Amino acid sequence: MELQDKVSISGQLEEIAKYDPEFRFRRFAGITLKLAFTMTLILSIFHIYTAGFGVLQEWRHRAFHLAFVLPLVFFFYSIRKTGTETRKHLFYDLAYGLVGTSVFAALFREIFHWSMGTILPVGALFFSLIVYFKRREYLSYSWLAPVDFLINSLLIAGLGYGGYFSYQRIEFSQIFRDPNFTLIFWSVLLFGIFISITLLFVTQWLRSVAGMFRGRSFPYESDQVPYFDVFFALMACGVSLYIFIEFNTLVLRAGLPSEMDLIVGAMAILLVLEGARRSIGPPLPVIAFLVLINCYLGPYFIDIPGLSFFAHRGYSISRIIEHMYLGTEGIYGIPLGVVATFVFHFVLFGIFISKTGLGQLFMDIAMAIAGWSSGGPAKVAVISSGFLGSISGSSIANTVTTGAFTIPLMKRVGYSPQFAGAVEAASSTGGQLMPPIMGAAAFIMAEFLGIPYIKIAACAIVPALLYFFAVGTMVHLEAKKQGLKGIPRERLPRLGKVLRKGWLLLMPLFIIVFLLITGSSPFLAAFWGIIYSVAVGQIHRRTLPFIVPVFLSVPSVLFRINPFDGFSIFLMAWIGLAVLGYGVTYGNTERPSWFIGWIPMAVLVVLLLSGLEPSMAAFWAVLSVIAIGVFYKESGMRIPDIMETLELGTKNALAIGAACACIGFIVGATTLTGLGLKFAAAIIQLAHSIAYLLISVDVLHFLNVTSMALFFTLILTAVACFVLGMGIPTTAQYIIASMIAAPALMEWGIQPLVSHMFVLFFAVLADVTPPVALAAYAASGISGANPFKTGFTAFGLASAGFCVPFIFVSAPIVLWLPHLLDPSVPFDVFNFLEVLATLIMGVIALGSTVIGYLTDRLTRIERLVMGIAAAGLFFPEVYTDILGFAILLTIYLIQKKRRKRRNTLADDVSEGKNIRHEQSMKE
């Protein structure tokens, strides 16, 4: 079973990697692999520890995170994709070299005051090195050995000089004089990793020397890490280590960067751009590069037609480096900060809880609920994707995870491969919108707006449920249209039996939701979710008594209650549950394990009686469950499993970490140049121009400028999200759109939360928007259908998701607003129910329009009219709601009557055949 699980996980990662560059990890071995593995464990443990016991100072915390993430990016992601030796890719490599050289030359020319005579040969050398590193694997080995030796030796010499230069200017011992033991501990680990990478690089150089004397170069293959990537990893660790060490000094000289600050900052900019390019592809780094150019060349755009829009006073290279590196506005800004706290923790939680078997439990529940109905497997895909989306934030990963099971089932009951893949893609994409654990963008939204994350999640409840209801409605109508059946009930699990068997797996999710609702920080909620997930993984038939201390420790975590603080009914109930629990498990487990099961209980009782803070007592009790449970071979979370999960957690967060560091350039440039406000003004101006153009041909005067301009502002914002979604992950897309597009909506008086939710919806749904519908492409890889057609079908199934944002802009009560943000404002229940009812009917009308079926197949006229009904029900006016409902009801009655007449005619024909058959038999 364990081997099958590992094969399954490996297979899923390979499938995801086909469509998502974030999962295209390089395979390597030896000491480099061991070092990278150690780094992944340290980073995951660091985040678990800081989630439960407090984060470091925010700049240092983010620097520590990036000091691990960026080097690991250079270890796990190659400088080039495999199979890119064509002439087209040679052109790309030359362009890449030119761009990299231009950034290098611009940064270091001003720092060192190089003349043109100096910068030209240095730039030519830098360009040659970039192209050499990119094309090296396609060159002949016969002359690579001396070139590699020369380059490696120069890098070693540069490292030595840089080390001496740094030693003269940095007081390394200052951090160890800090009285904070926790800071010293993590500093030692960070120093240790930096030294380890240094030793690895020196070892690579020695291998290069040996290779030269043997007449061969250091081998470069897709499963090994070349010396220059180790050097980049070393520098990537060093630029954040510099922040970590020099923190106090940097704070004191804020606004007066030294030459050393600027040199390290320039290196950081280059390394972040390259790390983002490797991990998520070139679109985001290209945008960041253009934004950085705009920061520098702003004054030169004034007299250039078409570019005057981007003009501003301009900033020197030194000012740009200081803004982007020395502070929390650029690289170490809010996006990286959110990833280094909330996002990383919930990524870890999602992997841990999935490891316990919660994903399979969700699948079994969905099968029990909907598997028997018409087209049951498709409804199972919708429900299970919604469940899985509540603990995971990746649409492609969700598609591959659930699709491997649901897509073959859908095909088996009669759905076409194209439709089956589209259902899974649309459902899995909606998972990023499903509370309680939404995608990373939702956590960043909470930080941008200064609103607790739980309120962001609460806002998404109704829109997310409407989205899944819409997909489920279309799936049901398609099944009825095709006459598809479900899975026989005898082949399905019973819901009661499934819940009785797996209820314990839901405990960590319940704990997280409760802590979020009661106001705990998201990372503290994730901490307890992770701890209890691992503890639940230790419980099996031989360790049933562990349920007692795990269950009885929960009140101490949720309510900070010590049951021994005075005699009370709670204490009696607590003791009674303990006695009952051990009594029930006595006859269901072996004696030695039953007695061992008392150890965690004893730990909990002793610590509570000693007066230790209740949550800490619970922590040590649960930790003792884990410490004992990992030694049982039946455990679902043994030490290798925990280590593998910690590694996967870090690897899954690498790309988003590098991307958010790169997005820091865009966020920093927006605050530096006012770019966001300029884009907002441009969008509003363009929307007004379109509105005036339409009104000029409106002879009946049905339209007005204000409403049309607002409508086209929303349309242009959505289009911007679609365009960004063609090459940028959801989180990066949301951040960019929230910087340049959301301000345009706020200019119309739309609440910031509504504006950002609008952008978030379209950022998420870009994964099912052709031509680059990544989730649909992943699903088509499983279904065997045409990817492009699958994308368009998924787009149709997700169409409600494109309508809902327009609705909550005009009817914010769908997001519980304004009551959610201002409880003093009464919540209008009647208005909410009215809006909800019309939306549900609108979703049914839209689903019928997309599928072409209600109770019977729609004619072309009926389909057109049904689309009008959907639009009317979605439009927030009473008269349009009445019109839409009337059309929907009319078509329903017409189809019902037509179907009844057809069935009657079929019955008459059948009866006539039977009569003739009887007569022929008599004759």
Side-chain angles (χ1 to χ4, degrees):
M1 182 67 180
E2 187 176 337
L3 180 60
Q4 289 177 350
D5 288 344
K6 289 182 179 179
V7 172
S8 175
I9 292 173
S10 175
Q12 287 179 3
L13 289 177
E14 289 180 4
E15 189 67 27
I16 295 170
K18 293 179 182 177
Y19 311 98
D20 193 342
E22 298 178 23
F23 289 86
R24 292 171 188 160
F25 302 122
R26 170 162 48 192
R27 291 190 177 95
F28 51 97
I31 191 67
T32 308
L33 178 61
K34 293 176 181 177
L35 175 59
F37 179 68
T38 303
M39 292 174 68
T40 61
L41 296 185
I42 292 174
L43 186 59
S44 288
I45 293 170
F46 167 78
H47 282 296
I48 293 174
Y49 176 84
T50 54
F53 299 97
V55 298
L56 305 179
Q57 191 280 335
E58 66 174 22
W59 195 8
R60 267 184 169 153
H61 188 93
R62 297 169 186 179
F64 187 96
H65 177 80
L66 197 61
F68 280 78
V69 165
L70 207 52
L72 286 171
V73 165
F74 287 102
F75 282 140
F76 281 107
Y77 297 95
S78 176
I79 195 171
R80 65 181 301 111
K81 294 189 294 185
T82 56
T84 54
E85 64 275 12
T86 62
R87 288 185 178 179
K88 178 181 72 174
H89 291 99
L90 174 60
F91 172 78
Y92 291 156
D93 291 343
L94 293 174
Y96 165 77
L98 287 172
V99 171
T101 303
S102 65
V103 177
F104 169 82
L107 291 173
F108 287 97
R109 180 186 179 188
E110 182 171 319
I111 295 173
F112 294 120
H113 308 290
W114 282 338
S115 65
M116 189 61 67
T118 303
I119 198 63
L120 286 176
V122 173
L125 176 62
F126 190 82
F127 173 81
S128 302
L129 286 175
I130 292 178
V131 176
Y132 176 76
F133 292 155
K134 287 279 282 180
R135 306 296 301 180
R136 180 181 180 279
E137 61 181 296
Y138 303 121
L139 302 176
S140 172
Y141 274 0
S142 60
W143 56 275
L144 287 181
V147 175
D148 279 341
F149 175 73
L150 176 62
I151 295 173
N152 211 345
S153 299
L154 289 173
L155 294 178
I156 285 285
L159 178 64
Y161 176 76
Y164 175 76
F165 185 78
S166 302
Y167 181 77
Q168 297 293 319
R169 288 164 173 76
I170 301 175
E171 189 178 354
F172 290 92
S173 62
Q174 64 174 304
I175 199 168
F176 299 105
R177 294 197 294 267
D178 196 294
N180 187 336
F181 173 77
T182 301
L183 178 62
I184 293 174
F185 174 78
W186 294 115
S187 300
V188 170
L189 286 179
L190 183 53
F191 268 111
I193 291 300
F194 181 77
I195 292 170
S196 298
I197 301 176
T198 303
L199 293 175
L200 177 63
F201 180 61
V202 173
T203 303
Q204 297 277 46
W205 177 69
L206 294 175
R207 292 181 65 184
S208 178
V209 172
M212 179 188 147
F213 284 110
R214 293 174 185 170
R216 60 181 177 83
S217 70
F218 177 76
Y220 179 96
E221 297 170 1
S222 59
D223 59 348
Q224 293 180 348
V225 181
Y227 60 89
F228 50 84
D229 274 352
V230 178
F231 179 77
F232 294 152
L234 178 62
M235 294 297 101
C237 184
V239 295
S240 289
L241 179 62
Y242 182 77
I243 296 288
F244 203 83
I245 296 171
E246 285 282 277
F247 172 75
N248 294 325
T249 307
L250 291 172
V251 170
L252 290 175
R253 65 167 183 259
L256 297 171
S258 66
E259 184 181 63
M260 184 76 174
D261 297 340
L262 297 176
I263 293 172
V264 178
M267 292 170 55
I269 291 173
L270 288 169
L271 291 166
V272 167
L273 288 171
E274 171 61 8
R277 184 197 68 83
R278 292 189 183 204
S279 55
I280 64 170
L284 179 60
V286 167
I287 294 174
F289 169 69
L290 295 175
V291 164
L292 291 172
I293 287 178
N294 178 57
C295 289
Y296 182 64
L297 298 179
Y300 301 99
F301 293 151
I302 293 177
D303 299 322
I304 301 177
L307 295 181
S308 58
F309 167 76
F310 298 101
H312 56 86
R313 57 173 287 220
Y315 297 91
S316 66
I317 293 295
S318 300
R319 179 74 178 90
I320 294 170
I321 294 175
E322 180 192 1
H323 188 75
M324 298 299 176
Y325 176 67
L326 299 174
T328 55
E329 291 287 339
I331 295 173
Y332 301 100
I334 288 177
L336 183 65
V338 173
V339 170
T341 48
F342 310 140
V343 174
F344 194 101
H345 301 147
F346 279 97
V347 167
L348 264 181
F349 168 72
I351 297 174
F352 269 111
I353 197 68
S354 298
K355 193 79 172 175
T356 64
L358 184 62
Q360 186 59 50
L361 176 65
F362 284 156
M363 192 73 70
D364 291 341
I365 292 173
M367 289 288 287
I369 292 174
W372 56 270
S373 61
S374 299
K379 295 173 185 174
V380 170
V382 176
I383 296 172
S384 60
S385 294
F387 281 150
L388 193 63
S390 68
I391 61 169
S392 171
S394 170
S395 56
I396 297 175
N398 290 354
T399 300
V400 172
T401 302
T402 58
F405 175 76
T406 58
I407 289 176
L409 272 181
M410 283 188 270
K411 292 168 65 177
R412 203 173 302 156
V413 298
Y415 284 109
S416 68
Q418 176 180 320
F419 191 83
V423 168
E424 186 55 58
S427 303
S428 295
T429 298
Q432 290 192 68
L433 302 170
M434 178 62 75
I437 302 173
M438 302 166 67
F443 292 96
I444 294 175
M445 183 197 300
E447 197 72 9
F448 276 166
L449 298 177
I451 297 173
Y453 167 75
I454 190 62
K455 292 192 175 183
I456 302 292
C459 279
I461 291 175
V462 175
L465 291 177
L466 280 172
Y467 176 86
F468 280 99
F469 174 70
V471 178
T473 298
M474 295 182 201
V475 161
H476 176 75
L477 293 176
E478 179 69 18
K480 289 294 186 182
K481 179 181 177 181
Q482 301 293 339
L484 305 180
K485 305 296 182 182
I487 301 172
R489 286 183 183 270
E490 59 271 14
R491 291 173 52 192
L492 296 173
R494 298 285 182 181
L495 182 59
K497 185 177 179 181
V498 168
L499 292 175
R500 282 196 303 272
K501 183 180 178 182
W503 67 270
L504 194 62
L505 300 179
L506 297 171
M507 179 189 286
L509 192 58
F510 167 78
I511 290 172
I512 275 194
V513 173
F514 187 90
L515 288 173
L516 288 173
I517 291 174
T518 53
S520 295
S521 64
F523 44 86
L524 182 62
F527 169 78
W528 286 113
I530 291 169
I531 295 298
Y532 275 97
S533 297
V534 181
V536 165
Q538 311 306 327
I539 298 174
H540 45 85
R541 187 167 183 82
R542 291 182 64 195
T543 58
L544 282 179
F546 285 170
I547 293 178
V548 180
V550 168
F551 185 75
L552 292 180
S553 66
V554 172
S556 296
V557 172
L558 300 185
F559 307 105
R560 306 291 194 272
I561 291 177
N562 186 337
F564 296 103
D565 284 346
F567 186 80
S568 64
I569 295 176
F570 176 70
L571 174 59
M572 294 177 64
W574 196 84
I575 294 174
L577 286 173
V579 173
L580 179 64
Y582 281 110
V584 170
T585 57
Y586 181 78
N588 294 316
T589 188
E590 59 188 32
R591 294 296 172 271
S593 294
W594 187 81
F595 286 109
I596 291 173
W598 279 89
I599 296 176
M601 191 66 196
V603 171
L604 179 61
V605 171
V606 169
L607 292 177
L608 288 172
L609 287 172
S610 68
L612 187 65
E613 201 275 328
S615 62
M616 285 301 299
F619 170 75
W620 289 111
V622 175
L623 197 63
S624 64
V625 168
I626 297 170
I628 298 170
V630 293
F631 293 103
Y632 284 86
K633 63 181 180 181
E634 296 89 352
S635 170
M637 277 280 181
R638 303 188 72 188
I639 292 177
D641 299 313
I642 294 173
M643 295 175 69
E644 180 189 18
T645 306
L646 293 173
E647 180 194 17
L648 280 175
T650 297
K651 289 171 70 174
N652 284 6
L654 290 181
I656 187 64
C660 284
C662 187
I663 290 170
F665 297 137
I666 300 170
V667 176
T670 301
T671 59
L672 199 63
T673 66
L675 194 61
L677 296 176
K678 292 178 180 179
F679 266 103
I683 289 174
I684 292 173
Q685 183 179 352
L686 181 58
H688 272 98
S689 299
I690 298 173
Y692 280 119
L693 178 63
L694 291 177
I695 287 175
S696 66
V697 296
D698 177 24
V699 294
L700 299 178
H701 304 290
F702 281 145
L703 307 176
N704 67 77
V705 174
T706 303
S707 60
M708 291 301 295
L710 173 58
F711 175 74
F712 281 106
T713 300
L714 295 171
I715 291 290
L716 292 171
T717 302
V719 170
C721 292
F722 288 152
V723 172
L724 289 170
M726 291 182 183
I728 298 177
T730 300
T731 305
Q733 182 193 154
Y734 160 73
I735 295 172
I736 297 172
S738 67
M739 291 286 104
I740 65 175
L745 303 183
M746 287 185 275
E747 286 291 321
W748 285 100
I750 299 171
Q751 294 184 52
L753 179 54
V754 177
S755 301
H756 281 253
M757 285 295 291
F758 183 92
V759 169
L760 175 65
F761 257 75
F762 283 102
V764 168
L765 294 175
D767 280 344
V768 287
T769 305
V772 186
L774 295 179
Y777 294 169
S780 67
I782 301 173
S783 67
N786 181 288
F788 201 66
K789 292 181 179 179
T790 303
F792 272 103
T793 305
F795 182 81
L797 292 174
S799 55
F802 300 104
C803 300
V804 168
F806 289 90
I807 295 164
F808 60 61
V809 166
S810 56
I813 198 167
V814 174
L815 305 180
W816 316 105
L817 296 176
H819 177 75
L820 184 69
L821 299 181
D822 185 4
S824 64
V825 178
F827 184 73
D828 191 340
V829 177
F830 179 78
N831 183 28
F832 174 76
L833 293 176
E834 179 189 2
V835 172
L836 184 62
T838 56
L839 287 179
I840 291 173
M841 289 187 290
V843 163
I844 294 172
L846 178 64
S848 179
T849 305
V850 172
I851 300 300
Y853 187 91
L854 186 58
T855 61
D856 195 11
R857 291 178 181 268
L858 295 176
T859 64
R860 290 183 179 178
I861 298 297
E862 288 174 339
R863 202 165 184 174
L864 176 63
V865 174
M866 187 65 83
I868 296 172
L873 288 164
F874 284 147
F875 196 76
E877 292 290 345
V878 175
Y879 69 88
T880 58
D881 292 342
I882 294 172
L883 175 64
F885 176 72
I887 294 174
L888 177 62
L889 181 61
T890 302
I891 293 178
Y892 170 78
L893 294 174
I894 290 172
Q895 288 206 336
K896 190 174 180 180
K897 185 176 180 179
R898 185 170 66 208
R899 184 174 180 132
K900 183 179 180 179
R901 186 169 60 248
R902 188 168 62 245
N903 290 340
T904 302
L905 180 61
D907 290 341
D908 291 343
V909 171
S910 177
E911 186 177 349
K913 287 182 178 180
N914 291 335
I915 292 172
R916 287 194 297 273
H917 179 69
E918 289 176 2
Q919 291 176 348
S920 63
M921 290 294 291
K922 288 179 181 180
E923 294 174 356

